[in-house]
Amino acid sequence: MKKTTLTAVGGRDPARQAGAVSPGPVRASTIVAPTLAEFDAMKRVRPGDGLTYALHGTPGVFAFEEALAALEGGGRSRVCPSGLMAITAPLLCFLSPGDHLLITDAVYEPARKFCEITLKRFGVETTFYDPLLGEEIAALMRPETKVVFLESPSSLTFEVQDVPALARAAKARGAVVMMDNTWASPLYFQPLAHGVDVSIQALTKYVGGHSDMILGAVTATDAVYPTLQKTWRALGVSAGPDEVYLAHRGLASLPMRMAHHHASGLKLAAWLQAQPEVLEVVHPGLPEDPGHALWRRDFSGAGGLFAFTLDAAAAPRPALAALLDGMRYFKLGFSWGGIVSMLTPSDPRPVRSAGGWPRAGRADGQLMRVFAGLEDPEDLIEDLDAGFARLRAAAR
Ligand SMILES: *Cc1c(COP(=O)(O)O)cnc(C)c1O
């Protein structure tokens, strides 16, 4: 079955849904048994494997988790309240005091804080590794290194990681490999097929897709799922049926939206490359990008998130404000993956410790993250064109 068919039919079984095409949300707390025999049988079901108590899942949640696991290409998927929790909960499931964690230096920043503050408090030591390391990560591994965490490409600086090489090196030394795959979604990259044990995504972004919900998901291989499940259950991780319903609804149109984001993003990238104030466009889908070869090898698309570096001399603060304050379609904020296009001025320099930003050979300036939303790219280019005209007038 092709992925576009999977997203359309996954978790949708009219026979189980009174003939309806989609499973609706089941709002429940307790799940009641009609007889003592069925009550006893319910107690024998492992939480998450069937109906026991709504904390561990309801029919709509199980249907969505099935659809997600199919798109991920195997394993077991579990939903949780946010993308951030889809990172933090698995780390809690696999790490204990005295353990060591290797996490990419280009990781989503709130995840970095969780390692530096919370995991440290629980006696777990974190090393941030250069995202461009491959097999060489072996040199950083210790006997107590239990997890190697990837995010590729980074959702701010877009370094593409050699996922199979990192996974091979990590697993050869007994570590569990986790990856935040929000940038590509399982439509454009399947972590499990590239050696990852735990695939993570913020459904808030592309799967939800409509800028109206927060949700996360974790997909674990059958081999590591039992370890995940034990602490997942102990933590009481659960997601509301209405958010899960919205995510399932979003899943059906994911391939069409992703194709639009991908094509629109490349059009904006090409336009930006031609602007004199733009020093560099950071987009693995561009042939001149340092990550392009790896991206081509492993990914089947890019979505709409990338960045560009603005010449700092050409864009002093008032000029940057002139550009951003007058945008018609582009919104100023943090999230992405939804309906609207976004611009996010960012500075990764203060937090990076391994490999650094910008790397040797790359442009140094004001980093601007761009998300190409569901609007027509021609309107978006017109918006950017007017913005750059304001920037030039203000800088003069
Ligand atoms: C947004 C995001 C998250 C967190 O998702 P929330 O649902 O907002 O908590 C995690 N990883 C990446 C790469 C993201 O972009």
Side-chain angles (χ1 to χ4, degrees):
M1 207 187 290
K2 305 281 189 216
K3 284 185 185 169
T4 300
T5 308
L6 269 179
T7 55
V9 306
R12 297 174 200 281
D13 178 3
R16 286 190 296 180
Q17 297 148 197
V21 170
S22 296
V26 174
R27 301 189 188 89
S29 54
T30 187
I31 305 292
V32 297
T35 63
L36 179 62
E38 282 164 89
F39 179 71
D40 286 340
M42 198 157 75
K43 286 194 292 187
R44 286 192 294 272
V45 175
R46 197 169 58 158
D49 284 356
L51 278 176
T52 50
Y53 178 53
L55 173 73
H56 307 299
T58 47
V61 172
F62 293 138
F64 176 66
E65 289 175 339
E66 249 171 57
L68 211 53
L71 187 60
E72 293 269 4
R76 281 286 307 265
S77 295
R78 297 311 309 269
V79 288
C80 61
S82 70
L84 182 54
M85 195 168 197
I87 298 169
T88 60
L91 289 173
L92 290 173
C93 292
F94 288 91
L95 290 166
S96 302
D99 287 350
H100 176 236
L101 161 68
L102 277 167
I103 193 162
T104 166
D105 194 39
V107 76
Y108 178 66
E109 208 182 319
R112 180 181 201 101
K113 293 247 164 60
F114 178 76
C115 300
E116 287 173 339
I117 299 167
T118 313
L119 287 182
K120 187 175 173 211
R121 189 155 57 79
F122 289 106
V124 174
E125 193 192 334
T126 301
T127 300
F128 296 93
Y129 67 87
D130 181 343
L132 297 186
L133 288 182
E135 303 262 8
E136 311 86 357
I137 197 155
L140 298 178
M141 293 197 65
R142 312 172 189 167
E144 66 273 23
T145 307
K146 293 291 161 59
V147 173
V148 175
F149 193 104
L150 289 64
E151 180 186 329
S152 180
S154 153
S155 56
L156 187 58
T157 46
F158 306 97
E159 294 93 339
V160 183
Q161 298 195 268
D162 192 338
V163 179
L166 287 164
R168 237 180 351 258
K171 282 161 99 169
R173 286 156 192 84
V176 169
V177 182
M178 303 184 183
M179 175 176 171
D180 184 336
N181 187 43
T182 303
W183 183 84
S185 90
L187 193 73
Y188 287 161
F189 181 80
Q190 290 184 308
L192 269 46
H194 290 81
V196 171
D197 301 301
V198 179
S199 166
I200 289 161
Q201 53 172 328
L203 301 169
T204 304
K205 309 290 167 50
Y206 285 130
V207 173
H210 292 74
S211 318
D212 57 2
M213 49 163 280
I214 299 276
L215 198 70
V218 168
T219 305
T221 59
D222 294 330
V224 305
Y225 178 74
T227 306
L228 178 96
Q229 198 270 345
K230 224 157 87 183
T231 305
W232 194 266
R233 177 193 176 180
L235 287 168
V237 182
S238 183
D242 295 287
E243 269 68 23
V244 173
Y245 167 76
L246 287 173
H248 204 162
R249 197 176 204 265
L251 196 65
S253 60
L254 181 71
M256 298 78 197
R257 289 185 286 105
M258 288 300 275
H260 181 91
H261 294 306
H262 171 97
S264 183
L266 283 172
K267 276 186 192 154
L268 301 190
W271 185 88
L272 285 162
Q273 279 183 313
Q275 306 311 307
E277 295 83 1
V278 173
L279 299 175
E280 192 174 41
V281 175
V282 186
H283 188 316
L286 296 172
E288 51 275 37
D289 192 273
H292 185 69
L294 278 180
W295 174 78
R296 266 192 86 104
R297 186 192 70 185
D298 294 343
F299 290 75
S300 55
L305 193 74
F306 65 100
F308 65 89
T309 312
L310 204 51
D311 183 350
R317 191 89 192 156
L320 194 63
L323 167 77
L324 293 171
D325 294 355
M327 298 310 284
R328 182 171 183 191
Y329 303 116
F330 280 93
K331 306 297 177 199
L332 191 57
F334 293 107
S335 199
W336 53 276
I339 296 171
V340 293
S341 291
M342 307 286 300
L343 287 173
T344 312
S346 310
D347 185 5
R349 279 170 296 199
V351 299
R352 301 292 286 270
S353 55
W357 180 265
R359 302 187 78 88
R362 302 215 69 162
D364 194 3
Q366 169 67 57
L367 190 71
M368 183 78 77
R369 192 170 73 176
V370 183
F371 174 64
L374 291 176
E375 309 90 340
D376 190 303
E378 280 183 33
D379 285 331
L380 295 176
I381 286 171
E382 217 176 277
D383 204 17
L384 286 174
D385 196 36
F388 272 73
R390 287 191 304 275
L391 174 108
R392 278 166 208 141
R396 223 178 275 130

